[in-house]
Amino acid sequence: MIYIHVPLCRSFCTYCGFYSEIAGDGCKARYLEALTAEIRSSKGADPGPFHTLYFGGGTPSVLEAEDFRRILRALEDAGFGGPYAEFTVEVNPEDIVTKGPAYVEALMSLGVNRFSVGIQSLDDGILRWMNRRHDAERGLRALSILRACGVRNLSADLIFGIAGLSDAVWENTVRRLVEAAHPEHISAYQLSLEEGSALEESHYREAPEELCRGQYDRLCALMRQYGYEHYEISNFALPGFRARHNSGYWTRIPYLGFGGGAHSFDGGKRWWNTCRLSGYHRECEIISPENSKIERIMLSLRTSDGEEAAFLHRACREDILARLVSEGALIEERGRIRIPEDHFFVSDEIIKELV
Ligand code: SF4
C-alpha cells in the first residue's frame, strides 16, 4: 500500500488540525521536487502485500493532472508502478466544479478508480461556519460531475455532532447525499476539537454527548435503510465497496507513505516524515510487542469483522472479556470477537477496558 500525502490546501477549515500549507505555485513546486526525490530514493523498499495507492491530504485536488503524472512516473521509477487494485484521490468539491469534467477524465486516464469527496455537510450555514470552499449546491454538483464522467466508486465524507447542527439538518444532509448520488462509500466523523485548529482557539464548546449519540444512531439507521454495510465505526459501504486501502490500516498491513507528514509501517516499526513541504526528515518508532498487541486490539475492534477470538483470549483478561460479552458489549461467534453496531459509539470505552 502506498500513501502520498499532499499537505496543501487553498484555505483552512475551522475544525482542522492537520499539517497543511496554503497552496501556491512556489509551495507546490517545492513539494513536488521533494516528494519525487523521496519516492525515487526509496527504490527497493517493501510497500507490503496490497497494491493500492492513496492520495490524501491536505487537498490532493489542488494538484493538476500533470503533477499526478509526474508523481506516478517517480513511483514507476522506484518500482511501485501501477496498475493499482484501488487508486483513490481525495478531492475538494470546489476543485471538481472549477476544473470540470476534463480534470476528472484526465485523472481517470491515469488510473484513478476511486474519488473521495469532502462533502462534510449539505447545509450552507454549517459549511460557511466550517470555512469550507463549497456550498451545498456545488457539493452536489461535484458528485454529479464525477458520476457523469463514469466514476463508479465514489466515497463522501460527512461530519456530525456539531454544536448548532440540528437533528433535522443532519438527517436532511444524509438523505440528500444518498438520494442525489448514492455514493458507494460514506465516511462520517464526529466533530472533535483538534489541537491547533481555529475552533480550539475560538473556545468552541463541543456538542453534548446525547446529541452526538442521537445523530450517530440516526445515521446508522439511515445507512441500513439505504442498503449500506456498517463495516467500521465511521465507515459504511455498499456491498463490494469497502475501502481496501483503509482496511489495510485496520488490519495492520505494511505500507509506505511519502510526502511531508506521511507515515509508514512495516509490521514492527513505524516511521514518519516531519511536517514540512520539503527538507523534512524521518523519525522512527520501534513498536514493542505490548504496544503491537494493543494496536491490533484497538484497530481490529473498530471493524465489524472484529478480531480472532483466540488472540483476544490470550491477550486480554478473561474476567473482563466474559463480563463485556455478558453485557452485550462484545459478541463472540464463529471464532471471532467483535463489538456489535449498537455499541460502536462507546467502542473507545470498551477497548480501554480490554487493553
Ligand atoms: S480539512 Fe482538509 S481541506 Fe480543510 S484545512 Fe484540513 S486538510 Fe485542508
Side-chain angles (χ1 to χ4, degrees):
M1 306 202 304
I2 294 170
Y3 175 76
I4 306 284
H5 192 58
V6 187
L8 297 166
C9 294
R10 294 242 179 263
S11 56
F12 296 132
C13 307
T14 49
Y15 55 85
C16 182
F18 291 134
Y19 160 64
S20 189
E21 309 221 4
I22 290 290
D25 284 348
C27 281
K28 195 172 82 170
R30 273 202 296 137
Y31 162 74
L32 287 171
E33 201 51 48
L35 174 72
T36 51
E38 182 197 3
I39 293 172
R40 289 200 169 90
S41 71
S42 301
K43 192 169 185 163
D46 179 9
F50 282 17
H51 203 44
T52 56
L53 177 60
Y54 193 105
F55 279 76
T59 312
S61 55
V62 301
L63 300 178
E64 301 305 326
E66 185 45 47
D67 303 324
F68 281 97
R69 202 169 288 121
R70 183 169 161 197
I71 298 167
L72 291 174
R73 264 200 307 270
L75 287 168
E76 186 90 43
D77 292 348
F80 311 134
Y84 304 97
E86 184 185 85
F87 181 172
T88 304
V89 176
E90 289 180 358
V91 296
N92 183 294
E94 190 58 31
D95 289 329
I96 296 300
V97 174
T98 311
K99 298 182 181 186
Y103 178 67
V104 176
E105 283 159 8
L107 295 194
M108 290 173 80
S109 75
L110 293 174
V112 177
N113 55 21
R114 185 169 182 272
F115 287 79
S116 175
V117 193
I119 295 291
Q120 316 308 3
S121 175
L122 289 175
D123 179 79
D124 287 343
I126 295 282
L127 287 166
R128 270 196 302 277
W129 177 79
M130 289 174 169
N131 197 33
R132 295 293 292 174
R133 286 156 55 209
H134 63 286
D135 60 16
E137 189 271 323
R138 287 172 85 81
L140 291 174
R141 190 151 10 131
L143 295 172
S144 88
I145 290 171
L146 289 159
R147 282 295 192 221
C149 290
V151 174
R152 293 285 161 263
N153 195 351
L154 261 185
S155 181
D157 283 1
L158 294 176
I159 299 180
F160 67 96
I162 303 169
L165 170 67
S166 70
D167 293 347
V169 168
W170 171 237
E171 175 156 348
N172 185 268
T173 285
V174 177
R175 285 190 183 280
R176 275 173 78 200
L177 170 68
V178 176
E179 284 161 19
H182 219 71
E184 282 71 22
H185 190 275
I186 292 178
S187 301
Y189 301 100
Q190 182 179 327
L191 187 79
S192 59
L193 259 190
E194 297 299 326
E195 212 183 308
S197 65
L199 269 194
E200 189 199 41
E201 280 157 25
S202 74
H203 306 295
Y204 165 82
R205 291 179 58 166
E206 286 184 311
E209 180 87 354
E210 318 83 74
L211 177 132
C212 301
R213 169 93 215 209
Q215 294 185 354
Y216 185 74
D217 287 348
R218 191 67 198 123
L219 169 75
C220 296
L222 286 168
M223 292 288 90
R224 210 174 306 123
Q225 181 189 319
Y226 286 119
Y228 288 80
E229 176 199 11
H230 193 175
Y231 74 104
E232 196 267 350
I233 290 172
S234 307
N235 288 281
F236 303 82
L238 291 178
F241 287 96
R242 289 184 182 198
R244 294 196 213 178
H245 187 92
N246 289 347
S247 298
Y249 294 145
W250 303 319
T251 45
R252 300 181 81 241
I253 298 283
Y255 56 87
L256 289 177
F258 299 109
H263 285 62
S264 303
F265 174 65
D266 70 0
K269 186 174 74 199
R270 182 167 290 112
W271 62 98
W272 57 92
N273 291 330
T274 48
C275 292
R276 295 179 58 143
L277 273 188
S278 59
Y280 42 82
H281 66 272
R282 250 182 209 177
E283 295 186 347
C284 170
E285 174 196 20
I286 307 284
I287 305 167
S288 67
E290 181 61 17
N291 284 344
S292 181
K293 182 182 85 180
I294 291 172
E295 265 184 22
R296 179 169 164 185
I297 295 171
M298 288 172 71
L299 290 169
S300 62
L301 288 183
R302 292 184 61 89
T303 68
S304 60
D305 290 339
E307 180 53 86
E308 277 173 26
F311 171 78
L312 285 180
H313 283 295
R314 279 196 311 276
C316 304
R317 273 178 47 186
E318 272 304 333
D319 57 332
I320 295 178
L321 266 181
R323 178 172 51 76
L324 290 170
V325 170
S326 74
E327 289 169 359
L330 291 174
I331 290 179
E332 180 165 3
E333 60 189 2
R334 292 189 290 278
R336 300 194 71 81
I337 293 180
R338 63 182 171 85
I339 297 176
E341 188 188 33
D342 62 358
H343 281 71
F344 266 171
F345 191 77
V346 290
S347 58
D348 281 354
E349 284 86 68
I350 297 170
I351 292 168
K352 217 176 285 166
E353 285 207 59
L354 283 174
V355 303

